[in-house]
Amino acid sequence: METKFESAIKVARNATQAIYDRLADMRSLSKMIPQDKVTDYEADEDSCRFTVDKIGRMGLRIVDRKVCDYVKYAADGTVQFNFNLWVQMKEVAPYDSRIKVTLKADLNPMMKMLVSKQIQKFVDMMADAIAASA
């Protein structure tokens, strides 16, 4: 069963090109993930693996990207469920952009009950971190 988790739209005081450049290279993505909740970060340009507090070890790989619009990531098979993570960005004025993070996960009812709160917190923290570091 697919479950959707969305962040609120966040304000980033930067151009979408700068935000995109960071998100499109997994080596620099670690700077936008909350360090107190994520550990053991390893990355190359198109994929990464890390441990999320109360969720466990997971990996992401970039599956699609459009310059200054979005970057889409997918699970690399290291977690117990499949998911896609999508970061959208829109520049509304010079150095004034909007960010939204969406995660869609295939969760069975038991898994949904166990991890939904942590996944939503992760999505919200990621959106905050991207907006703050942009």
Side-chain angles (χ1 to χ4, degrees):
M1 166 191 281
E2 186 175 271
T3 305
K4 187 176 185 180
F5 302 90
E6 294 180 298
S7 73
I9 296 171
K10 303 293 181 173
V11 175
R13 299 290 176 211
N14 211 334
T16 55
Q17 183 66 55
I19 298 166
Y20 173 83
D21 289 346
R22 288 186 189 140
L23 294 173
D25 185 338
M26 299 298 264
R27 295 169 294 198
S28 62
L29 185 65
S30 68
K31 298 170 189 148
M32 291 186 245
I33 296 176
Q35 301 300 308
D36 62 328
K37 302 291 182 190
V38 175
T39 58
D40 304 323
Y41 192 90
E42 303 169 355
D44 59 31
E45 185 176 353
D46 293 321
S47 65
C48 67
R49 287 190 173 186
F50 51 90
T51 303
V52 179
D53 187 35
K54 298 182 183 176
I55 294 177
R57 189 84 174 147
M58 65 173 52
L60 293 173
R61 59 185 165 74
I62 295 174
V63 293
D64 193 12
R65 55 186 131 199
K66 183 177 179 187
V67 176
C68 298
D69 193 7
Y70 64 83
V71 179
K72 291 182 182 180
Y73 310 90
D76 72 352
T78 57
V79 291
Q80 298 175 358
F81 54 91
N82 287 324
F83 68 90
N84 292 305
L85 181 69
W86 182 19
V87 181
Q88 296 168 275
M89 62 202 83
K90 180 177 176 98
E91 192 166 316
V92 295
Y95 300 98
D96 185 8
S97 300
R98 300 297 180 265
I99 304 294
K100 183 177 180 184
V101 176
T102 303
L103 188 144
K104 291 182 181 178
D106 291 326
L107 301 173
N108 65 44
M110 179 62 91
M111 186 65 76
K112 183 177 179 178
M113 188 174 73
L114 292 173
V115 300
S116 286
K117 187 182 282 188
Q118 289 85 6
I119 292 172
Q120 185 62 54
K121 283 182 184 178
F122 175 74
V123 167
D124 292 337
M125 286 186 305
M126 187 169 185
D128 288 338
I130 291 168
S133 68

